[in-house]
Every structure is written in C-alpha cells, then in structure tokens.
Amino acid sequence: MNIKAPRGAKDILPQETLCWYLLEERFKEMCHIYNYYEIRTPLFEDAELFIRSVGEESDVVEKEMYVFKDRGGRELALRPEGTAGVTRAYLQHGMHNLPQPVKLFYFGPMFRYDRPQAGRQRQFYQMGIEIFGTKEPSADVEIIKFTADFFLGLGFNNLKLHINSVGCEKCRPFYQEALKKYADERLAQLCRDCQRRAQFNPLRLLDCKIKNCRELMKDSPQIDHFLCDPCRDHFNEVLALLEVLKVPYYVDSHLVRGLDYYTNTAFEFFSENAGPQGSLGGGGRYDKLAESLEGPPVPGVGVALGVERILLAMEEEGLASPETSDPEGVFLATGSPELKEKALLMAYTLRERGLKADADYANRSLKAQMKFAHRKRFRHVIILGKEEKLKNVIQLRDMLKGEQQELSFEEALNILTAKA
Ligand code: HAM
C-alpha cells in the first residue's frame, strides 16, 4: 500500500502504548493530588483565537498553523497549543464566576507545520496544566514545582530549569525599543524574518531558529535591566519561593518563548542529552490573554509538556522500556478443535471475573498456541485436551515458573482470581 501516515504524524503502536500509559497515569495522578480538573476542548478552533492569543507575528501562527476553511466558509485552525482553547472555554462557560483560582489540566494532540525531525512532529501530544484567576507568585511556583516533581518522579535528575521574566505591557515596550535599536544596527546581517520582527515584534528576534541570527542577538540587551518594580518584585518572589522549595533554576535573561501571550514569568525545562529539541516542557504567566479575547481581566499561568519528547528522552536515558511490563492474564489453549468452544466459554468466564483472558483464533497447533502465549506475555495458560475433557480437569501452567498442575476449572478459577 502506498498510503502512509502523513509526514510528521506518527502511529503510536501497541508496544509503545505501555510507556504512554505510564506517563499519562503519572500525570493524571499528580493532577489529582494537586487538585486540577480535566478539560477537553476541540481539536480545531476559530483561527482568530490563535491569531489574537499566540500572536500574528509568532512562528507558530505565521508559519506553522494548519488553517482551513470549512464547507460553511469559516476560517478554522487545528490547535497548535492548548492554552488559548482552554482560556476560551474558561471565558465561554463563565468559569470566572466560580471561586478562584480555577485549576485545569488537559492531555491531547496539537498540530504545527514544522520541519519534522526527532522530537519535532506535525502532530504531537501535550499534557498541560493551567491556573486561572490569581496573580500570586506562589501559583507560578506551583506550576514549576509540579513540573519539576513530575520529571523527578519519572527518574530524570539532570533536567535544567531556565527561567526569566518577560515583563508586562508597561515595562516591556522600553525593552522592545532597546532590542529594536540593537537589531537596527545589524539589520543587513539578520534574516528576512528578523528584519521584519525588528519592525513589528522585536521580542521575537530572540527566538529565531537561524544560527547566524542567534549569534548576532547573543549580546543584545537583557530584559532584567528594564523590568518595572512590580514585575521585578514578582520575579524575585518566584525565585525566592523556588529556593524555599529547593527547585534549582538558571536565570536565562534571553528566554522569551515563542508565544506572544506571556507576561512576567517564562520558563522551560531542558534535557541536556536531548539535543536541539531539548525543551521537554515550558510555560509561564499570561495575565493579559483573557482580555485579548475580549474577556474580563483574568490572570493565568501554566505549562505544557511534550509527550513524545519526554518519551524520547526517557528512552535515551534508559528510564522506560515497553518490555518492563510483567506477564499477565490467562491464555486458553486446546489441542483439539472440538474443544474450542469450551475453551472460549472458559475465557468468557475468566473475563467476567475481571481477568485478562484470550483464546486461539487462528487454528494453531497446541505447540504454536503455547509459543503464542509466551510471546504475548501471558502469565498462565489453561490447557484443555481430550484427556482432560474426559477427566473433567484442565492443566494450569504458570509460564513464569514453568510449573503445571492438574485441577478442575473451578479450582483454577479460585487460584487465578485470588492472585489477581
Ligand atoms: P510550547 O513551548 O510551544 O508551549 O510547547 C510546550 C512543549 O510542547 C515544548 O516544550 C515541547 O516539549 C512540545 N512541543 C512543541 N512543539 C512540538 C513539536 N512540533 N513536536 C513535538 N513536541 C513539541 C506551549 O504550547 C504553551 N501552550 C505552554 C503553556 C501552557 N504556557 C502556559 N500554559
């Protein structure tokens, strides 16, 4: 067949899903402990939502967004990230009228048309958490501490937290002006996009992916010299609280992140071993996002983690392998075709008792069925042959211990349900 999965989109195969479950379960468990509730928003939204929130000048909107017109002529976009849609839903459903803060989490696919490579896909999964309705620095720190603990729980102990403040609408214009001035002096050497960024959105000069532009911007002014007092206080409080909670950080004064909605705190977790796609997750505060969507002023802060990147980094560091699951369940094997129906009925009885059970659907020989049960990592096999049928017994084989006993089916059932 010539039709393959689209470039940049991956099938997640059964042998990989165990690792996905591990991550998903750990994430949801932490969300429960931290008191976050799940929200599921549409995979596509009005394109305008992302233009207004993520920003018209951002790479995500300008170059990477999948935009299309539906049959009714509406301009829609596949969501490139989760925060905009969650904020839209928060406002649309009047969650600002609930006791604040409101703490939400999500898990699902996002879409960005970027050049695919290891750790960078066109369809990728994010898991994210957002806190709405508080400006407190302790909320920023909760988001960061959650993320740090999540990674530690998976076994990562070498991730680096980069953190910065991108200021607010009052102080940032002075910084942008300084950046623009710096860029204007080097305009001819910058790429076309950066020449335009210098004009319309100088902050974006700091996340150009082109090496030469990065080199040129290395010595550009740093935002910490421009922060107003409230922004500086907020940032200092975040850092002080991180120290209290013993979360190590590195202040990276050129970290601005690729999305326009950030105010104050911006941060990213990097894996040093994961190469150019080393950012396993990032987030920050977005106190003006709700207003940019014509909502009331609702501050917010959150993070999104890249599932595929985390799994890749886990594999590289030997933190997870699909083979780590223990053998489980019961396979019903029979050497005689006329006993097939009886074996199937036994499988249904086991399932009714909540046990994983399966039987042969391929008319294999008994030997081939045993091999199949081993490869599929069944812990037990119930063997039902003509002789067993006559004696009204079965053979229960423990595939791990290599032991076998002759029992009535009821006895086997009792043993298996007691173990489960
Ligand atoms: P982001 O930094 O654009 O932030 O994405 C978060 C994470 O998603 C990245 O750190 C990375 O792990 C993963 N990621 C991004 N693009 C790709 C891709 N093409 N392929 C694979 N993984 C990718 C946001 O999306 C914000 N909404 C985060 C946030 C939540 N800010 C506040 N709340």
Side-chain angles (χ1 to χ4, degrees), residues 129-242:
I129 54 172
E130 314 284 350
I131 306 181
F132 291 96
T134 173
K135 275 182 185 271
E136 285 297 306
S138 50
D140 310 33
V141 173
E142 175 173 312
I143 296 280
I144 295 171
K145 170 79 172 147
F146 176 111
T147 313
D149 282 356
F150 175 73
F151 284 131
L152 277 176
L154 293 177
F156 287 104
N157 46 26
N158 58 352
L159 296 189
K160 229 171 170 190
L161 163 63
H162 287 219
I163 188 165
N164 193 21
S165 172
V166 295
C168 67
E169 77 284 6
K170 290 197 190 94
C171 57
R172 199 186 307 151
F174 298 107
Y175 177 54
Q176 283 173 310
E177 198 46 50
L179 264 185
K180 179 175 167 11
K181 187 160 172 276
Y182 178 91
D184 279 348
E185 284 158 14
R186 295 155 180 83
L187 210 57
Q189 292 155 269
L190 290 167
C191 74
R192 280 249 178 112
D193 281 341
C194 280
Q195 290 176 356
R196 218 166 26 82
R197 287 171 181 139
Q199 191 68 22
F200 297 108
N201 194 347
L203 218 57
R204 295 276 74 82
L205 286 161
L206 295 175
D207 44 49
C208 181
K209 288 177 186 139
I210 295 171
K211 202 171 157 212
N212 184 48
C213 295
R214 297 188 84 85
E215 275 299 307
L216 282 167
M217 294 308 292
K218 216 171 64 194
D219 298 320
S220 61
Q222 301 187 345
I223 194 161
D224 46 335
H225 303 305
F226 295 83
L227 293 181
C228 59
D229 287 345
C231 284
R232 183 176 307 283
D233 290 349
H234 185 97
F235 193 43
N236 285 340
E237 239 180 281
V238 168
L239 298 184
L241 260 171
L242 286 175

Side-chain angles (χ1 to χ4, degrees), residues 18 325-331 354-357 373 376-380 420:
L18 278 179
S325 75
D326 290 334
E328 189 204 357
V330 190
F331 188 78
L355 287 167
K356 168 175 148 176
K376 290 287 179 182
R377 300 177 73 74
F378 280 95
R379 172 68 197 262
H380 292 97

Side-chain angles (χ1 to χ4, degrees), residues 54 60 64 80-84 106 110-114 117 119-126 128-130 143 257-259 261-262 267-269 277-286 300-310:
V54 174
V60 169
E64 298 169 5
E81 59 98 57
T83 311
Y106 52 91
M110 309 291 160
F111 307 86
R112 294 184 193 177
Y113 187 83
D114 203 345
Q117 50 179 273
R120 197 203 286 156
Q121 291 166 216
R122 291 181 175 167
Q123 175 179 312
F124 60 98
Y125 280 72
Q126 279 187 349
I129 54 172
E130 314 284 350
I143 296 280
R257 305 202 13 84
L259 315 158
Y261 51 60
Y262 290 114
F267 65 89
E268 226 153 320
F269 279 83
Q277 309 305 322
S279 169
L280 302 190
R285 184 162 272 289
Y286 46 88
V301 59
V303 67
L305 313 177
V307 178
E308 288 86 350
R309 281 195 200 171
I310 295 173

Side-chain angles (χ1 to χ4, degrees), residues 329-333 343-344 347-348 350-351 355-361 372 378 380 382:
V330 190
F331 188 78
L332 278 295
L344 275 174
Y348 283 114
L350 287 161
R351 289 169 184 163
L355 287 167
K356 168 175 148 176
D358 216 341
D360 177 50
Y361 285 102
F372 177 83
F378 280 95
H380 292 97
I382 286 182

